[in-house]
Amino acid sequence: MKIMVAIKRVVDYAVKIRVKPDKTGVETNNVKMSMNPFCEIALEEALRIKESGLASEVVAVSMGPAQCVDTLRTGLAMGADRAIHVETQGNLYPLSVARIIKALVDVEKPGLLILGKQAIDDDCNQTGQMVAGLLNWPQGTFASKVVLDKEKQIATVDREVDGGLETLCLDLPAVITTDLRLNQPRYATLPNIMKAKSKVIKKVTPQELNVQIKSDLEVVQVTEPPKRKAGVIVSSVDELIDKLKNEAHVI
Amino acid sequence: MATRAMLGGFKNRSINFRISSIYRSLSTLVLAEHEGGSINSQSLSAVEAAKSLCEDNSVSMLLAGSGPSLREAAANAASCHPSISQVLVADSDKFAYPLAEPWAKLVHMIQQKSGYSHIIAASGSFGKNILPRAAALLDVSPITDVIEISGSHLFVRPIYAGNALCTVRYTGSEPCMLTIRSTSFPVAPMSADSKSNSAPISQVDLSTFGEDAIGKSRYIKHTSQDSERPDLGNARIVVTGGRGLKSAENFKMVEKLAEKLGAAVGATRAAVDAGFVPNDLQVGQTGKIVAPELYMAFGVSGAIQHLAGMRDSKVIVAVNRDADAPIFQVADYGLVGDLFEVIPELLEKLPEKK
């Protein structure tokens, strides 16, 4: 069985972002970019499944500008066997990404598709669900545990839901999206980084995949959130209780 | 050149005008969650959001499930919010559990029959799981976690962990599909007289309901964290502990304080990962988003991802040993000190809750 993992290049999670003065978006020039943390977890899970002998190949895919190749290279250094880069320009919304992934699935025929639960830039939390819908595959979103049964061709998934955990059983092929607690992603070692340079990254365009990039959303403006007014530092518990009681009136 | 630009501007405006006049009357489908025969409060926030789309919006609430608890929930839905004009009920074993596959199919089927202008769910784990799948079946782009509705097709949503606000206009075909952040659409307490009007309940005809994707996923079990305390998402006061608590044993102090205040308990990712508390208490970008009247953070440094989940709280209190901790930049009241001394003192000096 082949596993496909979708990877997104985003502004590094530790960077304090800046909104552009013209309100068209967030500054991404000269900002550190990394693999989306949830995508790292997705890739790690795919690699572990392969290492346990339940999968034969891990294919990493990414959509976006030319620099996505760097992110895919990181994925190859972690252990992915090969990569596919779908080069696109401009804004790409989850619906288009889901369509591209579906087209890649139709070509590659993986038995399992793993994605992160959300990208930390657009915070959409949609792509996995949408591609599952387009493929008519079952979905296991917000996964914190995945157990595959090769014999029965099923995946048992623990999901992090409001108020606890939920366990589902999915027939393969299926789509799984990863939550934070699924695993601890590995670091790429130097020898593996060197090895990754000789691995193949295939380049395709949405046209070649027959996918129309449709955009039914328009960003009107991006602004900074309202600033909170400066607070005060109190010196004792008594003062704190007094302020909460008589100034803020919350207790 | 200038004239052309002006003409262009004028043309755009007239197009916008035409678009807005097409959507004269709106009809919204709210996907609702129910438990133990009543509608969950987040779903009521979704009704509140539907109401703010436009004055004469006709709001239908969709419930799915099976058996007597569904009937009870439907009766409850009919009278739980004055803006609900119709309750749709899909009664079948296929909906016994909130699985995305049959639910998305159901939404698709109902939309094709009734042509709603908007479909809304609260952005809890239920809505986030189901709505995008349904949107893909309908071939439209959904919009996640809307915090403000500025027009029937104009929405504000946070991006980059709440460090930027993005205003988006939906320009696609119907339906416009949203999940809304329930803390941004508080439900007004119901007055006694509004309880009397009750919306009609109708059964969804499931005879044409396809079978293909159904059965590919099966529900096994749900492990819930029993808690006597108020629900984290709706609590008036939230007391949160971070890595600074050092152990699950020490975290009990936070729980004790919460009990005294009648508050819900929250945690940072560090506290969850260290095993102090279960993960459904996590507050932040990838956990719960809360906006209580009072948020008290103990031993919380204030990482970007955590602030994303609580920065809209009315009053924020931070207690931390490190005077440079970023949490103090958003706190209304900060106390630099050892939480192992501060919490016991608070426990002793706080007034008993009424």
Side-chain angles (χ1 to χ4, degrees), chain B residues 304-332:
Chain B
I304 299 172
Q305 293 79 9
H306 182 72
L307 299 183
M310 45 67 83
R311 63 190 308 151
D312 292 327
S313 307
K314 293 222 172 60
V315 176
I316 298 175
V317 171
V319 177
N320 205 306
R321 241 188 348 207
D322 175 10
D324 296 324
I327 189 85
F328 286 121
Q329 288 161 23
V330 300
D332 300 282

Side-chain angles (χ1 to χ4, degrees), chain A residues 11 13-17 19 26 28 38 41 93-96 99 117-127 129-142 144 154 156 158-173 179-181 184 214-226 228-238 240-241 243-245 247-251, chain B residues 33 42 98-101 105 124-126 128-130 132-133 135-137 139-144 154 157-173 212-213 215-225 236-237 261 269 272-273 279-280 282 285-288 293-294 296 304-305 310-317 319 328-336 342 345-346 349-351 354:
Chain A
V11 171
Y13 74 95
V15 169
K16 183 155 174 34
I17 56 120
V19 172
V26 165
T28 52
F38 291 99
I41 294 169
Y93 295 106
L95 181 58
S96 301
R99 282 186 180 163
K117 79 161 175 180
Q118 78 189 60
I120 59 163
D121 52 358
D122 61 22
D123 284 334
C124 274
N125 197 329
Q126 298 170 350
T127 307
Q129 295 88 313
M130 296 186 87
V131 74
L134 294 177
L135 287 165
N136 205 11
W137 288 5
Q139 70 189 50
T141 49
F142 326 142
S144 61
I154 53 167
T156 308
D158 285 2
R159 306 179 53 228
E160 294 196 2
V161 294
D162 296 345
L165 279 181
E166 181 183 271
T167 310
L168 296 183
C169 179
L170 313 174
D171 289 345
L172 296 180
D179 216 318
L180 274 175
R181 272 162 287 273
Q184 197 61 255
K214 165 171 144 178
S215 161
D216 46 12
L217 290 175
E218 174 198 335
V219 173
V220 178
Q221 64 167 8
V222 174
T223 54
E224 280 188 39
R228 290 187 75 95
K229 67 172 177 38
V232 293
I233 296 288
V234 297
S235 55
S236 70
V237 170
D238 291 311
L240 177 63
I241 293 177
K243 293 261 192 204
L244 290 178
K245 221 189 265 177
E247 195 177 280
H249 306 289
V250 283
I251 54 171
Chain B
E33 251 182 306
Q42 289 193 11
L99 294 173
E101 293 78 12
K105 210 96 215 175
S125 57
F126 169 84
K128 281 183 172 168
N129 188 39
I130 290 166
R133 185 176 178 112
L137 299 182
D139 197 28
V140 300
S141 281
I143 304 164
T144 302
L154 197 61
R157 59 177 301 264
I159 54 174
Y160 289 90
N163 287 299
L165 299 180
C166 181
T167 306
V168 289
R169 177 178 287 122
Y170 181 71
T171 57
S173 51
D212 44 339
K216 287 185 184 175
S217 67
R218 290 166 297 280
Y219 174 92
I220 308 283
K221 65 171 194 243
H222 183 97
T223 330
S224 64
Q225 315 289 344
R236 203 182 68 83
I237 304 177
L261 289 162
R269 183 190 167 188
V272 172
D273 285 350
N279 55 34
D280 56 331
Q282 184 178 328
Q285 183 182 19
T286 65
K288 294 250 168 55
E293 282 179 37
L294 173 61
M296 303 181 85
I304 299 172
Q305 293 79 9
M310 45 67 83
R311 63 190 308 151
D312 292 327
S313 307
K314 293 222 172 60
V315 176
I316 298 175
V317 171
V319 177
F328 286 121
Q329 288 161 23
V330 300
D332 300 282
Y333 304 108
L335 179 55
V336 180
V342 172
E345 201 178 336
L346 274 170
K349 291 179 176 169
L350 275 173
K354 290 136 242 162

Side-chain angles (χ1 to χ4, degrees), chain A residues 20-231:
Chain A
K20 287 185 193 166
D22 64 0
K23 297 188 178 175
T24 56
V26 165
E27 189 59 68
T28 52
N29 286 330
N30 302 316
V31 172
K32 187 184 176 201
M33 306 290 278
S34 303
M35 191 189 297
N36 179 44
F38 291 99
C39 301
E40 282 186 356
I41 294 169
L43 180 54
E44 175 66 35
E45 194 63 19
L47 295 173
R48 289 186 189 188
I49 293 171
K50 187 190 161 193
E51 282 157 5
S52 68
L54 294 170
S56 52
E57 192 184 29
V58 175
V59 184
V61 302
S62 190
M63 295 92 218
Q67 297 94 317
C68 287
V69 168
D70 303 339
T71 316
L72 285 173
R73 203 59 82 182
T74 310
L76 293 171
M78 279 173 74
D81 295 291
R82 59 191 172 87
I84 302 172
H85 174 218
V86 183
E87 189 156 10
T88 61
Q89 310 297 332
N91 263 346
L92 208 53
Y93 295 106
L95 181 58
S96 301
V97 176
R99 282 186 180 163
I100 293 172
I101 295 175
K102 179 188 184 288
L104 292 173
V105 166
D106 289 343
V107 175
E108 294 283 338
K109 310 245 182 303
L112 185 62
L113 180 59
I114 313 184
L115 302 88
K117 79 161 175 180
Q118 78 189 60
I120 59 163
D121 52 358
D122 61 22
D123 284 334
C124 274
N125 197 329
Q126 298 170 350
T127 307
Q129 295 88 313
M130 296 186 87
V131 74
L134 294 177
L135 287 165
N136 205 11
W137 288 5
Q139 70 189 50
T141 49
F142 326 142
S144 61
K145 190 178 168 197
V146 176
V147 179
L148 284 192
D149 186 327
K150 208 176 178 180
E151 293 283 291
K152 294 190 196 137
Q153 282 289 300
I154 53 167
T156 308
V157 179
D158 285 2
R159 306 179 53 228
E160 294 196 2
V161 294
D162 296 345
L165 279 181
E166 181 183 271
T167 310
L168 296 183
C169 179
L170 313 174
D171 289 345
L172 296 180
V175 176
I176 289 172
T177 74
T178 60
D179 216 318
L180 274 175
R181 272 162 287 273
L182 182 58
N183 59 46
Q184 197 61 255
R186 69 193 66 184
Y187 290 104
T189 58
L190 188 59
N192 285 343
I193 294 171
M194 300 310 289
K195 231 189 281 171
K197 290 188 176 164
S198 59
K199 289 182 181 172
V200 181
I201 299 180
K202 192 172 134 193
K203 199 181 274 288
V204 289
T205 62
Q207 290 76 28
E208 285 164 359
L209 293 168
N210 264 323
V211 177
Q212 284 246 295
I213 304 292
K214 165 171 144 178
S215 161
D216 46 12
L217 290 175
E218 174 198 335
V219 173
V220 178
Q221 64 167 8
V222 174
T223 54
E224 280 188 39
K227 288 230 163 32
R228 290 187 75 95
K229 67 172 177 38

Side-chain angles (χ1 to χ4, degrees), chain B residues 182-297:
Chain B
S182 50
T183 54
S184 302
F185 298 92
V187 182
M190 227 185 8
S191 57
D193 57 313
S194 62
K195 206 154 199 155
S196 56
N197 58 350
S198 172
I201 300 172
S202 53
Q203 298 284 333
V204 176
D205 173 17
L206 294 171
S207 58
T208 58
F209 192 73
E211 295 281 334
D212 44 339
I214 323 298
K216 287 185 184 175
S217 67
R218 290 166 297 280
Y219 174 92
I220 308 283
K221 65 171 194 243
H222 183 97
T223 330
S224 64
Q225 315 289 344
D226 290 323
S227 166
E228 311 242 303
R229 285 183 292 268
D231 176 46
L232 183 55
N234 309 307
R236 203 182 68 83
I237 304 177
V238 173
V239 183
T240 289
R243 199 200 310 266
L245 266 303
K246 295 203 175 85
S247 73
E249 202 49 46
N250 292 336
F251 209 94
K252 296 227 161 64
M253 294 198 317
V254 170
E255 288 168 9
K256 227 182 254 167
L257 185 62
E259 220 159 276
K260 183 140 191 188
L261 289 162
V265 172
T268 65
R269 183 190 167 188
V272 172
D273 285 350
F276 302 169
V277 283
N279 55 34
D280 56 331
L281 297 188
Q282 184 178 328
V283 172
Q285 183 182 19
T286 65
K288 294 250 168 55
I289 314 279
V290 300
E293 282 179 37
L294 173 61
Y295 188 88
M296 303 181 85

